[in-house]
Amino acid sequence: MDQRTATPAYGNDTAIPVAVPLTTGTGAALTGGLMCLLSMSSVQFGSAFSASAIAAYGPFGTTWLRLIWAAALLAIVVRPPILRYSRAQWQTAGLLGASMAGMTLCFFAAIERIPLGLAVAIDFLGPLAVATFAFGLGWRLAWPLIAGAGVLLLAHDGHGWIGDPTGILFAFGAATGWGLYIVLMKKAGSAFEGLQGLSMSLIVAAVVATPFGLLEVSRMTAEGVVAIAGLALLVPLIPYALEMIALRRMSTSSFGILMSLEPAIGAIAGFAVLSQPMTALQIAGTVLVVAASAGATATSR
């Protein structure tokens, strides 16, 4: 990986290398796009396979265990030098970790109450907002608008809007967390070397999620705790790692609009794994978000 390093000042005059993002280009953007696709697939199919765990242990308990497993596994691999980080690095990791916890807690609470495709469609409003603000008022604003239209179609079953109010509110909470996550993940990728920033952020996320997880601790079993370790790889460990690397290779605007594929993948995962049907309107919405993603990627600078 072609990186330059910077040497920040610390109170003990100890320096650690800080990654500087790679210069974006066509090859880097394509690589980043592939990583995003793998990440989205991991998230959506991991979420679909989590339905039984959520039913057994609750959305908060399942999320908490996932974050604990992900944080522990990555810390063992990365071994972040916790005592050597600057105050600014701690702040970045803290904010990113809090957004991860909020995003994940809200998302799993949402998919307990509403179909996966609808939850992801609403959740996508977070990266859509990031892309919209980044693109400004130029002609490229057409891509998030097309994607937004596709999201609306995905949220309609042909007869009316689907989902209960509480689930929809949780989905909007997840959307807010996802938008913050994109911006903060980009910053953490620049502030830390390798996956150290992700490791620190996951530790913070696990701590933030602890009070919520303890509310459902009585539902957990030793067998379930071990089983969730595998799910933690699909969501959040592998996706977060891929997205941090991808954001070093592409702009937040391109990343945000590329995430328009997520509702489509979510709808497909819901259909394939959970037997949640897709109507003609939802299939049309899938086509629109895929077209918007392809168009944004092809015209990105």
Side-chain angles (χ1 to χ4, degrees):
M1 183 180 294
D2 182 17
Q3 292 179 334
R4 294 179 293 110
T5 57
T7 306
Y10 297 90
N12 60 0
D13 295 326
T14 303
I16 63 174
V18 178
V20 177
L22 293 168
T23 302
T24 57
T26 303
L30 289 174
T31 302
L34 177 59
M35 290 180 175
C36 288
L37 181 60
L38 293 172
S39 169
M40 288 183 283
S41 299
S42 180
V43 167
Q44 296 312 316
F45 280 90
S47 298
F49 286 125
S50 300
S52 58
I54 293 173
Y57 311 116
F60 293 159
T62 302
T63 299
W64 181 47
L65 290 176
R66 283 176 182 273
L67 290 172
I68 288 176
W69 274 114
L73 291 171
L74 191 59
I76 291 171
V77 174
V78 174
R79 292 181 294 178
I82 295 175
L83 300 179
R84 294 169 56 190
Y85 293 129
S86 69
R87 180 177 178 181
Q89 287 175 306
W90 271 104
Q91 288 176 340
T92 299
L95 290 172
L96 177 57
S99 72
M100 283 178 175
M103 172 180 68
T104 312
L105 287 166
C106 287
F107 181 72
F108 282 105
I111 65 174
E112 183 188 36
R113 294 166 172 84
I114 60 178
L116 179 61
L118 174 58
V120 180
I122 297 172
D123 194 17
F124 170 66
L125 295 176
L128 181 65
V130 171
T132 300
F133 287 126
F135 277 127
L137 299 178
W139 69 269
R140 288 181 178 84
L141 183 62
W143 300 126
L145 292 177
I146 292 171
V151 167
L152 289 176
L153 292 179
L154 276 165
H156 202 281
D157 66 357
H159 301 287
W161 305 108
I162 52 179
D164 68 71
T166 302
I168 289 173
L169 284 175
F170 274 122
F172 274 107
T176 302
W178 197 5
L180 291 172
Y181 161 85
I182 291 173
V183 176
L184 293 168
M185 184 67 93
K186 179 82 170 178
K187 185 176 181 180
S190 301
F192 292 87
E193 182 183 42
L195 295 178
Q196 291 181 16
L198 178 59
S199 180
M200 292 300 300
S201 299
L202 280 172
I203 292 171
V204 172
V207 172
V208 171
T210 296
F212 301 93
L214 290 177
L215 295 175
E216 297 177 337
V217 71
S218 61
R219 302 171 61 175
M220 299 175 191
T221 64
E223 188 177 321
V225 170
V226 174
I228 289 175
L231 294 174
L233 293 175
L234 289 174
V235 187
L237 186 53
I238 291 175
Y240 286 175
L242 288 171
E243 289 171 8
M244 173 168 278
I245 297 170
L247 278 164
R248 287 178 173 147
R249 290 164 166 76
M250 59 198 307
S251 66
T252 53
S253 59
S254 295
F255 181 91
I257 194 64
L258 189 58
M259 290 293 107
S260 64
L261 283 170
E262 192 112 29
I265 296 173
I268 293 169
F271 174 76
V273 180
L274 302 176
S275 299
Q276 295 174 348
M278 291 181 67
T279 65
L281 282 176
Q282 291 169 329
I283 293 172
T286 299
V287 172
L288 284 179
V289 293
V290 170
S293 177
T297 302
T299 59
S300 63
R301 291 176 293 180

